[in-house]
Amino acid sequence: MPDSRVPRRRRYLVCEPRHFAVQYAINPWMHPDEPVDVIRALDQWQALVDTYRAHGHTVDSVKPVPGLPDMVFAANAAVVVDGRVFGSLFHAPERRPESVPYEAWFKTEGYEVYHPESVCEGEGDFVPAGRWILAGTGFRTTREAHAEAQEYFGVPVIGLTLVDPYFYHLDTALFVLDDELDGNIAYYPEAFSPGSREVLARLYPDAVLATREDAMAFGLNSVSDGRHVFVSPGATGLAGQLADRGYVPVPVDLSEFHKAGGGIKCCTQEIREIRS
C-alpha cells in the first residue's frame, strides 16, 4: 500500500501518575491485593508523553491530587469537541472528585465546562468520529448522557451497547483511526451487543477487526494521529493489520496501568478545537 497516511498534530492532556494505585475494584482488571510499581508506572507514562512530543504533538498536564489514584486516566474527565467541554459525572463514588481538578484546569485555560446531569465518563465512552460521536453504554455512561451530549454539541450521537465487563468503556473496545468525515475505526466486535455490531458494520464496512487476544492486550485502547498509531506492544496481530492498511504502529508499553484497567488512550485526553 502506498505511504499515503497523513498525520495531524494533536493536543493532548495528561496527568502524572504520582499517586497511582489500585485501592478499590470497579472493573475486572482491578485487584487491590496486587501491588503497583509506581516508579515503573511513572517511567512508562513519561515514555508515552515523550513519544507524543517526538511525533510533533502538544502535551499539557493536570497536576495530580493525592487520594485520587485513577486521576492518571485523563480521558475519563471530559470530552472536548470544537473547543466545547462536556464534563464527567463518574459512576463510581471513588472517582467523582476527579472532575474538580480537571474542570479547574479547563477553566484556567479559558474553557467553559458543561456539567452533565447523567452518569458519563468522558472519552472513556464518548469517541468523536468525524460526522458523529460514538457513545458507549452498558457499564458506566448512561443513554441519558448520550442525549445530553447530542444536545450540547449539536452532533449526532450513536449509542453502542457494551456487553463484556472486561471492555467496560468504549475506548477499551474501539478507537478511531482517522477522524475525517469518512474516517475509519478499529474495534472488537464481541465487546458489543448484536444490534450494536450491526450498526458498526453498516457505518464502517472496512473497519479493522481485532481479536479477543489483541483486545485483552489493550490493543484497542490506542491513539491515532491519522498515520501513527500509539498501541500496546502486546497487540501484535492488530499492529500487523494496521501496518497492512498503511498506518505506522508505534508500540508504547503501559502495562503497569493494565492493573487498573487502563492503557494508552485512558491516559490521554484529546483537546479538539474548531478546525479551520
Side-chain angles (χ1 to χ4, degrees):
M1 175 175 289
D3 186 18
S4 60
R5 303 289 181 188
V6 179
R8 181 171 63 83
R9 289 190 177 183
R10 314 287 175 129
R11 183 184 181 193
Y12 298 131
L13 180 63
V14 299
C15 180
E16 184 187 33
R18 193 182 312 164
H19 310 295
F20 176 59
V22 178
Q23 298 177 345
Y24 42 78
I26 57 174
N27 66 57
W29 302 94
M30 302 179 81
H31 301 284
D33 56 330
E34 295 183 5
V36 166
D37 187 336
V38 178
I39 299 300
R40 185 166 184 253
L42 283 163
D43 289 343
Q44 290 181 347
W45 177 86
Q46 188 61 56
L48 176 65
V49 171
D50 292 344
T51 301
Y52 284 151
R53 288 176 173 155
H55 285 80
H57 304 303
T58 299
V59 182
D60 295 309
S61 186
V62 173
K63 185 178 179 180
V65 176
L68 299 179
D70 282 341
M71 194 175 161
V72 62
F73 300 128
N76 303 153
V79 57
V80 184
V81 177
D82 290 339
R84 307 182 73 186
V85 181
F86 188 91
S88 290
L89 177 61
F90 286 92
H91 180 269
E94 295 92 338
R95 296 199 65 186
R96 289 195 172 181
E98 294 176 32
S99 299
V100 176
Y102 278 102
E103 179 176 342
W105 185 90
F106 278 112
K107 287 184 174 179
T108 298
E109 292 292 308
Y111 297 90
E112 292 184 5
V113 180
Y114 174 85
H115 295 279
E117 297 178 1
S118 307
V119 169
C120 61
E121 301 201 349
E123 285 189 324
D125 278 320
F126 287 111
V127 178
R131 300 176 188 271
W132 44 65
I133 298 172
L134 302 176
T137 191
F139 297 100
R140 303 287 182 85
T141 299
T142 65
R143 290 197 178 275
E144 290 78 8
H146 295 182
E148 281 191 72
Q150 179 169 285
E151 188 67 20
Y152 178 65
F153 289 123
V155 175
V157 172
I158 298 171
L160 302 167
T161 301
L162 297 162
V163 297
D164 186 327
Y166 280 96
F167 307 104
Y168 57 93
H169 272 154
L170 185 60
D171 73 356
T172 65
L174 176 155
F175 74 97
V176 171
L177 287 163
D178 317 283
D179 60 4
E180 305 299 331
L181 292 182
D182 296 315
N184 203 8
I185 65 169
Y187 70 101
Y188 170 53
E190 283 71 29
F192 298 91
S193 68
S196 295
R197 290 200 296 270
E198 288 189 29
V199 169
L200 288 170
R202 287 174 182 269
L203 294 178
Y204 300 100
D206 196 37
V208 175
L209 303 182
T211 64
R212 183 174 184 83
E213 181 181 10
D214 283 339
M216 291 291 284
F218 287 80
L220 294 166
N221 197 241
S222 295
V223 171
S224 173
D225 65 12
R227 172 175 168 79
H228 309 100
V229 180
F230 306 96
V231 62
S232 167
T236 54
L238 177 60
Q241 287 195 73
L242 295 172
D244 289 343
R245 301 286 191 101
Y247 297 96
V248 179
V250 181
V252 184
D253 181 16
L254 258 65
S255 54
E256 199 63 23
F257 298 96
H258 297 181
K259 297 176 181 178
I264 293 170
K265 177 56 193 170
C266 289
C267 291
T268 310
Q269 163 92 220
E270 182 173 349
I271 301 175
R272 299 171 185 83
E273 305 292 1
I274 297 176
R275 294 174 66 176
S276 57

